[in-house]
Amino acid sequence: MKVLETLLFMFRNPVPLIVHFTCWFLLAAWGIVADDPFMEGTLPYIKVIVAPPASIGDYLKAASIIWDEIIEDLTRTGFWVLVVTPPFLICYREAVGNLKGITDEHRIWMAWYHRQQEATAEDDNFVEPAPPLKNMRVNSYFRKAQKTLLFMIRNPKLLLIHFLCWMITCFLLVLISILPDLANIVRAVENFARNFLSAAPYLAIVAAIFGLISSYQETRGTVKEVAKVQQTWAEWYCQQQEAKAQGVPFDVVPPLFRIY
């Protein structure tokens, strides 16, 4: 159920997903354009097309050739899976962080609110202060990044979990690569052992990089949503205190957050 909730949250808030997919596509496109087949085969032809005096149509033709080659390389070799999977998983973990920030912080405030209402119903003087608002002012990018990095340093377990998950993902990708050889079990096992052991150091580096990115995004999502929840509750709390100081009734319901 949590997976479905997270996916719904992702698609209701699609901007991070679009940004990540765009960045990864541009990175993959750059890799294709910088590769030898393009540099030695297609690029000289492109230079001939756009050689002066070139028209707008020539430039459009060159762009079309580049685009067609990028799409062909992505779809022909199955490379698109490697382009789509990392940003999707990273965005998924960011959405997990978003939901965690919303639910945890909202739960803290709602518990405080219920205690306040119970004390009011019993005509008791409620003196418990509101939950702290130390995470509220993280609107700037650098402030948010600083808060995220500090949180990651204080909670290194998340980074380790992400690294292990990405390492398992790399393991599965290597396993998938030997599926055509499953008819010959012995050869398949030999190929898997050889491929995985030879690539293990590089896969560990990839897993470390992706683990750092995904754990950062998840933590950033938590920090960002905690700040939003605190900001909303702080505004409501200020209104309540103003009404209390003026001696007027305050019947505004506490903030509600639509998660999915």
Side-chain angles (χ1 to χ4, degrees):
M1 188 62 181
K2 288 185 177 181
V3 174
L4 180 59
E5 294 172 359
T6 305
L7 292 175
L8 288 174
F9 183 88
M10 286 175 60
F11 292 113
R12 287 185 181 275
N13 303 272
V15 174
L17 191 62
I18 294 173
V19 171
H20 279 275
F21 273 136
T22 302
C23 292
W24 281 89
F25 176 79
L26 293 176
L27 182 63
W30 175 81
I32 293 172
V33 170
D35 202 9
D36 289 342
F38 181 88
M39 297 296 291
E40 298 176 2
T42 308
L43 185 59
Y45 179 56
I46 297 294
K47 290 180 178 179
V48 172
I49 294 176
V50 298
S55 63
I56 296 178
D58 293 329
Y59 284 105
L60 292 176
K61 180 180 179 181
S64 176
I65 293 173
I66 296 173
W67 174 261
D68 290 343
E69 180 153 340
I70 291 172
I71 298 301
E72 182 182 358
D73 281 4
L74 289 177
T75 55
R76 180 184 58 196
T77 61
F79 183 54
W80 65 271
V81 176
L82 300 179
V83 177
V84 171
T85 303
F88 180 82
L89 293 178
I90 291 171
C91 287
Y92 178 85
R93 295 311 307 179
E94 182 176 354
V96 170
N98 289 334
L99 292 176
K100 184 177 185 299
I102 293 173
T103 54
D104 289 355
E105 189 65 21
H106 188 59
R107 187 183 300 115
I108 292 172
W109 278 91
M110 285 302 296
W112 172 84
Y113 172 75
H114 287 313
R115 290 193 296 271
Q116 183 193 68
Q117 295 303 302
E118 290 173 0
T120 303
E122 297 173 0
D123 294 328
D124 290 338
N125 185 21
F126 186 74
V127 296
E128 180 183 344
L133 299 171
K134 59 183 179 180
N135 294 323
M136 189 174 67
R137 300 185 181 278
V138 290
N139 294 326
S140 70
Y141 176 82
F142 293 105
R143 175 68 175 162
K144 196 178 298 179
Q146 179 189 26
K147 197 74 178 179
T148 301
L149 292 174
L150 286 175
F151 190 91
M152 291 175 63
I153 293 172
R154 293 168 183 167
N155 301 272
K157 183 173 71 173
L158 181 65
L159 179 60
L160 179 60
I161 292 173
H162 278 251
F163 169 75
L164 293 176
C165 290
W166 280 106
M167 199 65 192
I168 293 172
T169 302
C170 293
F171 176 87
L172 293 176
L173 290 175
V174 175
L175 182 62
I176 292 173
S177 68
I178 58 98
L179 285 179
D181 295 332
L182 285 182
N184 188 331
I185 299 298
V186 175
R187 187 176 65 180
V189 172
E190 291 177 351
N191 289 340
F192 174 75
R194 182 174 60 254
N195 293 342
F196 185 77
L197 291 177
S198 62
Y202 305 101
L203 295 179
I205 294 174
V206 171
I209 294 173
F210 283 177
L212 180 62
I213 295 173
S214 59
S215 60
Y216 176 86
Q217 289 298 120
E218 180 174 342
T219 306
R220 179 179 177 274
T222 301
V223 170
K224 180 178 65 175
E225 295 303 329
V226 165
K228 288 183 179 179
V229 173
Q230 288 187 355
Q231 179 69 42
T232 305
W233 270 98
E235 294 173 358
W236 179 88
Y237 178 70
C238 289
Q239 294 175 7
Q240 185 193 57
Q241 295 304 303
E242 289 177 3
K244 183 178 180 181
Q246 296 172 4
V248 297
F250 183 77
D251 54 359
V252 178
V253 297
L256 298 176
F257 294 89
R258 182 182 181 183
I259 298 177
Y260 47 84

